[in-house]
């Protein structure tokens, strides 16, 4: 009975309403380093947020945040998470070892394209993708800022599977955005 009660309480915490207004913003990777801080900041600003987690026990009680269990490999779970959402902040990524190039590609490239596809299907207006500084070439001497005109790192393959997959995800997402202009895509 104790185990059942704990499981029921965890289920309510992950899927239950922490906000009186419906969330219009979704954050993927909301239990990670960047996604977690973004969720906190949006909640501090009074934005009603829906936040995804693959593992329910990682969800933290934050006023104004509704947690939903979502595996980015599942189109059905993504559709459910994006229902009624206007803006998606896609912070989720496979970032740490271990993992093969194929596993990183599935999580970071195919997962990102899946997010974009489902966002478009469900009427999301804007997708903000969190890329990585590691995809860009080292700035020329005297260049202080890296912006959208900066070249990609030609030697990304030498930097490891994370960099390779994040570069692949960014390129694939920008190609997708050119082919599907209804969804506004922002890469940061």
């Amino acid at each position: 009975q104790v185990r059942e009660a704990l499981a029921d309480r965890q289920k309510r915490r992950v899927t239950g309403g922490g906000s009186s207004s419906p969330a219009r913003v979704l954050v993927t990777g909301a239990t990670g380093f960047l996604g977690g801080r973004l969720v906190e900041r949006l909640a501090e600003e009074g934005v009603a947020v829906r936040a995804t987690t693959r593992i329910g026990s990682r969800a933290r009680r934050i006023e104004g945040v509704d947690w939903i269990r979502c595996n980015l490999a599942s189109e059905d779970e993504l559709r459910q998470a994006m229902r009624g959402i206007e803006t998606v902040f896609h912070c989720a990524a496979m970032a740490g070892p271990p993992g093969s190039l194929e596993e990183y590609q599935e999580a970071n490239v195919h997962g990102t394209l899946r997010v974009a596809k489902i966002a478009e299907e469900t009427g999301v207006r804007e997708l903000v993708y969190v890329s990585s500084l590691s995809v860009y070439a080292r700035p020329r001497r005297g260049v202080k800022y890296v912006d959208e005109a900066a070249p990609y790192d030609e030697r990304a393959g030498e930097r490891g599977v994370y960099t390779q997959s994040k570069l692949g995800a960014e390129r694939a997402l920008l190609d997708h955005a050119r082919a599907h202009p209804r969804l506004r895509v922002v890469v940061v």
Side-chain angles (χ1 to χ4, degrees):
Q1 286 180 332
V2 171
R3 187 175 293 156
E4 288 175 20
L6 288 173
D8 185 53
R9 191 170 81 200
Q10 180 63 30
K11 183 178 179 184
R12 282 194 313 269
R13 181 171 66 159
V14 171
T15 61
S19 170
S20 59
S21 62
R24 308 302 278 167
V25 172
L26 174 73
V27 177
T28 69
T31 59
F33 179 71
L34 294 174
R37 183 62 188 120
L38 176 61
V39 166
E40 290 171 356
R41 182 61 190 262
L42 289 168
E44 287 169 8
E45 297 293 323
V47 176
V49 177
R50 186 175 303 148
T52 68
T53 182
R54 283 180 299 116
I55 302 167
S57 62
R58 291 186 181 168
R60 296 175 293 133
R61 183 170 261 318
I62 302 171
E63 186 65 35
V65 177
D66 289 325
W67 289 92
I68 187 166
R69 194 180 315 262
C70 182
N71 184 331
L72 300 186
S74 169
E75 290 188 4
D76 289 339
E77 289 182 17
L78 281 168
R79 279 186 196 92
Q80 182 180 349
M82 290 189 205
R83 189 169 292 130
I85 296 296
E86 293 176 1
T87 301
V88 172
F89 289 91
H90 181 40
C91 302
M94 184 174 182
S100 67
L101 178 58
E102 291 77 21
E103 291 168 316
Y104 273 84
Q105 296 282 34
E106 172 53 36
N108 296 344
V109 179
H110 301 295
T112 296
L113 287 175
R114 208 173 290 115
V115 166
K117 173 188 166 199
I118 302 302
E120 194 164 14
E121 274 182 25
T122 58
V124 169
R125 291 193 284 195
E126 184 172 54
L127 171 61
V128 179
Y129 172 66
V130 177
S131 186
S132 171
L133 189 58
S134 71
V135 305
Y136 297 103
R138 185 175 177 179
R140 293 183 319 274
R141 188 170 202 166
V143 174
K144 294 181 181 182
Y145 302 99
V146 174
D147 63 16
E148 50 277 334
Y152 288 126
D153 189 348
E154 293 175 13
R155 296 175 19 180
E158 297 172 24
R159 297 181 79 183
V161 293
Y162 172 76
T163 297
Q164 284 177 293
S165 67
K166 289 298 277 187
L167 177 56
E170 184 171 321
R171 284 180 164 159
L173 180 59
L174 291 174
D175 287 344
H176 180 88
R178 283 188 281 278
H180 303 91
R182 191 190 63 68
L183 177 65
R184 180 174 186 250
V185 173
V186 176
V187 177
V188 293

